[in-house]
Amino acid sequence: MIQRVIAFTGISGVGKTTFLGKLADLLPFQHVTGGSLIAAARNAAPDERDTMRHADIDENQRLLIDGFALARNPKAELIIMDGHMVIDDGEGLTKISSEVFKALGVTVIVHLEADEELIARNRAKDLTRARPSYQLETLKQHQDVSRAHAKEISATLGGSFHIVEHSDVMHLAKMLGYVRPQLNQ
């Protein structure tokens, strides 16, 4: 069995976890989140997840790799790592090194995108997270930077790069190997 590792990326509030929840109804995979992997490796409480963006980013990425090694299910044919290409520390965006994705064994990068108004609404209504509030133009710029960096990393790794929107769940499922069950005749 060849295990595939996919990086499912997009800016905070775009709806990655919601999208992957719908994908899980169609396709079996191990779903891991970057924040949870870092928190587990740090032995941090779940409610400390949002404060990690202000911690040393290089250290967080080392912990992400360590956490992934611990959480990785060797029997899973497909692992989807839900995370970010850029980290917003409140003072700007920091790009994640391609070496992190190489260490995880990522071969495919999928970037989820949405209208900035939807992202702003998602961020505002999610009271479980402590995200900065931004104007729509700033969210657009963050999404543009994230997309460009994801594409760059994919090219560096020699993998494939795809952009999806919320309506593309079935499209991504088919791309990843979903076969529609046949009805008994």
Side-chain angles (χ1 to χ4, degrees), residues 161-182:
F161 172 71
H162 307 274
I163 296 171
V164 296
E165 296 179 357
H166 285 275
S167 60
D168 295 331
V169 174
M170 181 58 82
H171 170 75
L172 184 59
K174 288 179 181 177
M175 185 185 86
L176 297 176
Y178 170 78
V179 178
R180 187 181 302 274
Q182 299 296 315

Side-chain angles (χ1 to χ4, degrees), residues 7 9 85 96-99 101-102 106-111 146-163:
T9 68
M85 287 286 148
I96 303 302
S97 167
S98 63
E99 292 302 313
F101 297 92
K102 182 178 180 180
V106 170
T107 57
V108 176
I109 296 177
V110 178
H111 195 265
S146 180
R147 176 192 324 109
H149 192 54
K151 191 173 184 179
E152 179 183 310
I153 288 176
S154 181
T156 300
L157 297 177
S160 61
F161 172 71
H162 307 274
I163 296 171

